[in-house]
Amino acid sequence: MLPVQIPDVLAGGRWWPRDEIDATARGWRVTIREALDDAPRPVAAAIPSSPEGVALFVAATSIPAPVMLLPPDARAWRRDPPIPPGTTVVLPPSLVHLAPAARRLGLSPCLLADRPRGVSAPPFTLLQSPGMVLFTSGTTGLPRPVYRG
């Protein structure tokens, strides 16, 4: 599989350069791997619709662990079946205020730094995880988790 070239992202009337998103994603990938102790256990990530969300998606899907993509609203995290207790939930800087809600649900918050430390790492290869958990739209009730390999 070829390494991914992260694109420039237009958001908030400004172009976010790929180098900035790439550097953020590399730093966050290190933090996520440390939070998981390099064990291939599932990880959840609250993904905002922003350049920060792009960096988090790239970081989370480049590790060899199943990834649960969560909306940036903790009320939607109450699921049936529930997210397994103790699951690491990764929160970017704009969503660190959700850490108390994550703890109330029995999850283990991993708070990402606003400016991650500089990291020299190999290029990203997306979708290294064995699969992702996505959620249905919820048009007929609560959104249901769906695993996609």
Side-chain angles (χ1 to χ4, degrees), residues 34 56 64-65 109:
E34 288 171 354
L56 179 52

Side-chain angles (χ1 to χ4, degrees), residues 78-140:
R78 291 182 174 86
R79 307 252 174 233
D80 184 24
I83 299 170
T87 297
T88 298
V89 62
V90 181
L91 300 172
S94 67
L95 299 178
V96 296
H97 65 279
L98 298 176
R103 286 187 193 96
R104 282 192 295 278
L105 292 171
L107 307 175
S108 177
C110 171
L111 308 179
L112 299 175
D114 189 27
R115 297 278 180 211
R117 61 186 178 268
V119 176
S120 174
F124 282 106
T125 305
L126 286 181
L127 304 176
Q128 290 301 293
S129 65
M132 284 187 239
V133 176
L134 308 167
F135 293 88
T136 63
S137 66
T139 56
T140 60

Side-chain angles (χ1 to χ4, degrees), residues 15-114:
W15 280 100
W16 296 77
R18 70 180 56 123
D19 294 344
E20 184 178 334
I21 295 170
D22 181 82
T24 300
R26 287 173 193 264
W28 287 353
R29 178 174 58 181
V30 170
T31 302
I32 295 167
R33 290 185 87 147
E34 288 171 354
L36 296 175
D37 299 322
D38 281 330
R41 62 178 191 244
V43 62
I47 308 284
S49 55
S50 66
E52 186 180 73
V54 173
L56 179 52
F57 179 82
V58 170
T61 62
S62 69
I63 58 174
V67 178
M68 181 180 300
L69 301 177
L70 299 175
D73 181 350
R75 294 174 296 183
W77 301 354
R78 291 182 174 86
R79 307 252 174 233
D80 184 24
I83 299 170
T87 297
T88 298
V89 62
V90 181
L91 300 172
S94 67
L95 299 178
V96 296
H97 65 279
L98 298 176
R103 286 187 193 96
R104 282 192 295 278
L105 292 171
L107 307 175
S108 177
C110 171
L111 308 179
L112 299 175
D114 189 27

